[in-house]
């Protein structure tokens, strides 16, 4: 990994410039540099983080949220939530959010990606993306004894064997994992034996992007080993705008203007500029460069170069709530790492000596459950009617969203021992995460109005607003009931002592539960869609075409989670790597034809 000085970077001649050294940015940059044919530059706002314990050690997941390597974005005040703002953590570091996420490795269902193609984006279906999922990863099979003991089921042909990101099952799995399976099975949710092979619904033990040889996080910086001295990375560089040159046909991207330690620089790219700043920052940078909705740009005092109305629109984020329960005090608990100094010291020594123990993994009890599994038929009918009546949605997209209502894993449940920051002497707690996968409500992310345009963008996720938001809220309401069933059913009830947050009384009071949902909804760090594939609608439906080229500009592409036109029912990390791998191939193909 070649991190260079600003002087060296500024005098370099680049073929490709990549804005953002995060999950997608490092992957696409390293693939373009692989082989040594092209000189590639990467501009990253954060700094290097390899070697930091809060990044490398799996058991410290979440510790870096709110730290110096988190952008610490916040949403605009949400009217439906009583004016509350929601934290939007994103990685500000070399490696981006792959350096601070919770190490979950999974893929969406086949239908999730096929829906992108249905909207008019050829080459973006499941069969097209599967080779790129596999190209990004090296799968390490579990120890046979652990596999037999935990009944780990998977399709080995679905995994990659030589990619930069190492993935594995945890070598030590929570004692409640078998109870989780038995409980979900008793409630009619079947074990999914091929949860990365195109159908994620069901209950399964999750894999993690952890290298089992070192028991450390495997993340985007691994990609840098593919390249040599032709990959130049500049950290602590803040991009101001993409330099666009006027041509007879429109505009062409020729370089990037950025600041480093308050000094301004301009660097050029002879072939392409690739924007990989993520769902929050990519639309902001496009708008700062004069690409966007004229009304938004006018409020910010930015001259319009390309009228692109969907820049910053269409943001979709998974909605999450966390129910907390008291559990058997004899269970080891992740909170002990933060609340018990002696336990934390012993765990730290165990990890340092043997790479085992509580710090060597993260929670792994997952389930994705279709609504039809637990929502009454009459209620499902009302949800369908509400979806059909939604205004402003193209019929094709509405049909996809409605199909997802009952046939796909609409709601994700995760069980984790630990519930920090709740602490009470002599008691142990656990958390049931409930995460809405296919939101009906969408929002926007735009540059600030003048004179604050270069500050954090305005994040307006639209939580529970309007008819679409009401649908989301009712789905969450119904799903809390099934969450309670999970916690109180045999076999998990053997260790659950009582419902704590919300209290048991709230589950039988719809109004109280609706209020609890509104008061406790948070984001899941899975935002997508702000520079989406346009499909058949073109620039009126999105920002990029199926080759990820920005409409109206030559030599400019977007490569990150923002290009996803519809949310997927999964954690998005593996998909972002696949997008980057596919993008690198397309860029190299297009370059070869020039």
């Amino acid at each position: 990994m070649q991190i260079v000085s600003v002087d060296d970077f500024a005098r370099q001649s680049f073929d490709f410039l990549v804005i953002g050294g995060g999950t997608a940015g490092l992957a696409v940059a390293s693939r373009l540099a692989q082989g040594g044919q092209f000189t590639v530059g990467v501009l990253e706002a954060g700094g290097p983080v390899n070697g930091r314990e809060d990044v490398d050690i799996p058991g410290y997941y979440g510790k870096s949220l709110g730290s110096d390597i988190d952008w610490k974005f916040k949403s605009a005040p949400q009217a439906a939530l009583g004016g509350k703002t929601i934290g939007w953590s994103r990685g500000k570091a070399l490696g981006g959010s792959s350096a601070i996420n919770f190490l979950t490795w999974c893929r969406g269902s086949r239908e999730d990606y096929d829906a992108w193609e249905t909207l008019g984006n050829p080459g973006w279906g499941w069969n097209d993306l599967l080779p790129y999922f596999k190209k990004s990863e090296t799968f390490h099979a579990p120890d046979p004894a652990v596999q037999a003991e935990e009944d780990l089921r998977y399709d080995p042909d679905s995994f990659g064997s030589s990619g930069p990101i190492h993935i594995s099952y945890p070598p030590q799995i929570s004692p409640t994992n078998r109870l989780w399976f038995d409980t979900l099975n008793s409630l009619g949710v079947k074990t999914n034996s091929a949860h990365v092979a195109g159908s994620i619904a069901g209950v399964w033990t999750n894999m993690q992007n952890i290298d089992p040889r070192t028991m450390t996080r495997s993340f985007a910086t691994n990609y840098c080993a593919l390249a040599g001295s032709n990959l130049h990375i500049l950290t602590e560089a803040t991009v101001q705008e993409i330099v666009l040159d006027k041509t007879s046909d429109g505009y062409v991207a020729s370089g990037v203007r950025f600041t480093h330690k308050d000094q301004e620089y301009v660097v050029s790219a002879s072939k392409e500029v690739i924007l990989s700043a993520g769902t929050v920052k990519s639309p902001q940078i496009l708008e700062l460069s004069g690409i966007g909705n004229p009304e938004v740009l006018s409020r910010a005092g930015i001259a319009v170069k390309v009228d692109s109305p969907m820049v910053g629109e269409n943001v979709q984020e998974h909605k999450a709530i966390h129910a907390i329960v008291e559990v058997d005090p004899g269970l080891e608990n992740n909170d002990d790492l933060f609340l018990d100094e002696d336990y934390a010291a012993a765990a730290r020594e165990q990890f340092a000596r043997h790479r085992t123990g509580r710090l060597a993994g993260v929670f792994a009890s997952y389930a994705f459950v279709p609504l039809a599994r637990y929502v009454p038929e009459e209620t499902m009918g009302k949800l369908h009617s509400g979806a059909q009546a939604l205004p402003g949605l193209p019929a094709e997209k509405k049909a996809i969203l409605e199909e997802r209502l009952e046939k796909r894993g609409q709601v994700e449940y995760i069980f984790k021992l630990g519930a920090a920051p709740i602490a009470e002497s002599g008691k142990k707690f656990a958390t049931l995460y409930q995460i809405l996968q296919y939101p009906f409500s969408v929002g926007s992310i735009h540059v600030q109005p003048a004179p604050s345009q270069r500050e954090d963008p305005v994040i307006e996720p639209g939580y529970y607003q309007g008819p679409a938001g009401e649908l989301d809220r009712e789905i969450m309401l119904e799903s809390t009931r099934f969450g309670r069933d999970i916690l109180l059913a045999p076999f998990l009830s053997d260790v659950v002592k009582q419902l704590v947050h919300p209290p048991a009384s709230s589950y039988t009071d719809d109004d109280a539960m609706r209020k609890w949902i509104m008061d406790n909804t948070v984001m899941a760090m899975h935002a997508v869609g702000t520079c989406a594939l346009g499909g058949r609608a073109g620039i009126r439906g999105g920002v990029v075409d199926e080759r990820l080229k920005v409409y109206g500009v030559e030599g400019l592409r977007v490569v990150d989670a923002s290009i996803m036109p519809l949310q997927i029912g999964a954690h998005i990390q593996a998909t972002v790597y696949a997008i980057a791998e596919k993008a690198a191939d397309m860029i190299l193909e297009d370059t070869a034809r020039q």
Side-chain angles (χ1 to χ4, degrees):
M1 182 164 57
Q2 181 168 279
I3 299 176
V4 301
S5 70
V6 67
D7 291 335
D8 287 342
F9 195 90
R11 61 172 166 255
Q12 184 66 52
S13 297
F14 294 107
D15 295 301
F16 297 100
L17 276 171
V18 179
I19 301 171
T23 312
L26 287 184
V28 70
S30 299
R31 288 298 188 189
L32 294 176
Q34 189 177 13
Q37 183 180 0
F38 302 111
T39 302
V40 181
V42 176
L43 291 157
E44 166 55 41
V49 293
N50 290 73
R52 284 181 54 141
E53 289 192 345
D54 59 348
V55 172
D56 285 351
I57 298 178
Y60 288 149
Y61 66 87
K63 196 174 181 180
S64 58
L65 300 186
S67 74
D68 59 314
I69 62 172
D70 181 357
W71 279 98
K72 298 188 282 286
F73 296 124
K74 287 191 176 295
S75 75
Q78 296 298 285
L81 304 183
K84 184 175 68 171
T85 62
I86 304 290
W88 274 50
S89 289
R90 308 305 302 159
K92 187 179 183 181
L94 204 57
S97 294
S98 75
I100 70 168
N101 65 22
F102 288 13
L103 302 108
T104 297
W105 193 263
C106 59
R107 305 170 186 163
S109 296
R110 171 186 295 271
E111 294 85 355
D112 287 347
Y113 307 105
D114 288 350
W116 299 359
E117 195 162 48
T118 296
L119 294 176
N121 300 293
W124 288 95
W126 167 264
N127 290 337
D128 303 292
L129 279 169
L130 182 57
Y132 295 109
F133 279 113
K134 296 169 75 171
K135 188 176 182 180
S136 72
E137 65 190 19
T138 292
F139 171 63
H140 297 265
D143 179 273
V146 175
Q147 182 176 356
E149 180 180 351
E150 296 295 338
D151 192 22
L152 300 178
R153 308 179 193 178
Y154 57 88
D155 176 6
D157 294 332
S158 297
F159 296 108
S161 58
S162 59
I165 306 302
H166 294 265
I167 60 172
S168 59
Y169 283 100
Q172 298 165 291
I173 298 175
S174 168
T176 59
N177 198 53
R178 287 309 320 158
L179 299 177
W180 176 255
F181 273 75
D182 292 341
T183 298
L184 270 296
N185 290 164
S186 75
L187 294 172
V189 181
K190 296 180 179 179
T191 299
N192 188 330
S193 301
H195 53 89
V196 297
S199 178
I200 201 171
V203 56
W204 35 273
T205 301
N206 186 56
M207 287 179 300
Q208 302 151 356
N209 49 299
I210 296 175
D211 188 335
R213 301 168 301 179
T214 60
M215 295 313 300
T216 56
R217 178 190 297 268
S218 183
F219 67 115
T221 56
N222 286 29
Y223 268 89
C224 298
L226 299 174
S229 59
N230 58 322
L231 177 62
H232 303 260
I233 300 171
L234 180 64
T235 59
E236 299 179 17
T238 302
V239 170
Q240 304 299 314
E241 65 175 325
I242 299 161
V243 178
L244 302 179
D245 296 338
K246 188 77 174 71
T247 69
S248 58
D249 298 325
Y251 286 89
V252 61
S254 62
V256 176
R257 189 185 309 277
F258 69 94
T259 57
H260 185 274
K261 299 188 186 303
D262 297 323
Q263 181 72 38
E264 188 173 280
Y265 301 84
V266 177
V267 287
S268 299
S270 62
K271 298 189 182 298
E272 291 193 18
V273 175
I274 298 154
L275 179 55
S276 298
T279 297
V280 175
K281 295 294 286 186
S282 282
Q284 181 192 29
I285 291 171
L286 288 178
E287 290 174 340
L288 289 172
S289 307
I291 305 167
N293 186 321
E295 292 183 10
V296 172
L297 299 184
S298 176
R299 289 195 296 269
I302 299 170
V304 179
K305 295 177 180 175
V306 178
D307 179 351
S308 187
M310 293 303 293
V311 171
E313 299 296 326
N314 191 49
V315 65
Q316 300 157 62
E317 168 62 303
H318 292 152
K319 297 177 177 67
I321 52 176
H322 307 155
I324 296 172
V325 294
E326 184 185 352
V327 294
D328 187 327
L331 290 170
E332 272 196 289
N333 190 306
N334 204 65
D335 292 347
D336 295 332
L337 292 171
F338 307 99
L339 302 175
D340 185 328
E341 291 183 6
D342 292 338
Y343 179 93
R348 184 69 187 83
E349 183 175 357
Q350 181 181 359
F351 182 80
R353 288 178 176 271
H354 308 293
R355 289 298 193 259
T356 59
R358 179 63 60 179
L359 289 173
V362 301
F363 49 87
S365 301
Y366 282 61
F368 285 74
V369 187
L371 290 183
R373 170 84 287 286
Y374 54 84
V375 173
E377 187 174 338
E378 180 181 354
T379 304
M380 284 302 309
K382 293 178 181 178
L383 293 175
H384 277 292
S385 297
Q388 291 166 3
L390 287 177
L393 268 180
E396 199 169 43
K397 185 174 286 189
K398 186 183 294 187
I400 291 170
L401 291 172
E402 191 179 349
E403 183 272 336
R404 291 173 166 184
L405 257 178
E406 56 184 300
K407 296 182 180 179
R408 225 83 63 70
Q410 171 71 295
V411 177
E412 174 188 17
Y413 296 93
I414 308 171
F415 188 73
K416 179 197 80 168
L417 289 174
I422 289 181
E424 191 173 337
S425 179
K427 293 185 177 181
K428 294 288 181 71
F429 299 92
T431 303
L432 181 70
Y433 294 83
Q434 175 184 312
I435 308 172
L436 178 66
Q437 297 298 293
Y438 302 116
F440 283 91
S441 58
V442 299
S444 64
I445 298 176
H446 289 300
V447 67
Q448 292 268 7
S452 306
Q453 57 180 239
R454 298 192 188 281
E455 296 179 1
D456 289 348
V458 179
I459 300 173
E460 178 47 80
Y463 284 127
Y464 304 122
Q465 292 182 15
E470 290 176 12
L471 270 176
D472 289 345
R473 187 189 62 191
E474 292 308 299
I475 291 169
M476 291 292 268
L477 173 65
E478 293 293 330
S479 300
T480 58
R481 297 191 180 108
F482 189 67
R484 176 193 56 188
D485 291 345
I486 293 172
L487 294 168
L488 298 182
F491 300 78
L492 202 58
S493 61
D494 292 347
V495 297
V496 173
K497 297 174 68 68
Q498 66 170 328
L499 306 176
V500 175
H501 179 67
S505 59
S506 295
Y507 285 96
T508 56
D509 184 333
D510 284 357
D511 288 339
M513 185 55 76
R514 286 189 183 97
K515 183 179 186 307
W516 183 82
I517 290 169
M518 306 288 267
D519 289 343
N520 291 278
T521 292
V522 297
M523 59 92 74
M525 292 177 64
H526 301 156
V528 307
T530 51
C531 301
L533 291 157
R536 277 181 291 276
I539 200 170
R540 300 300 158 187
V543 179
V544 298
D545 66 14
E546 71 273 12
R547 305 294 287 184
L548 304 186
K549 296 180 178 180
V550 174
Y551 294 121
V553 183
E554 292 294 320
L556 178 60
R557 302 192 205 222
V558 179
V559 180
D560 55 34
S562 72
I563 67 96
M564 296 163 60
L566 288 169
Q567 183 60 277
I568 61 171
H571 297 239
I572 67 172
Q573 177 181 203
T575 298
V576 174
Y577 282 118
I579 289 169
E581 291 279 11
K582 180 177 173 63
D585 269 8
M586 291 192 299
I587 293 166
L588 292 172
E589 289 167 2
D590 291 348
T591 301
R593 286 196 290 263
Q594 291 175 355

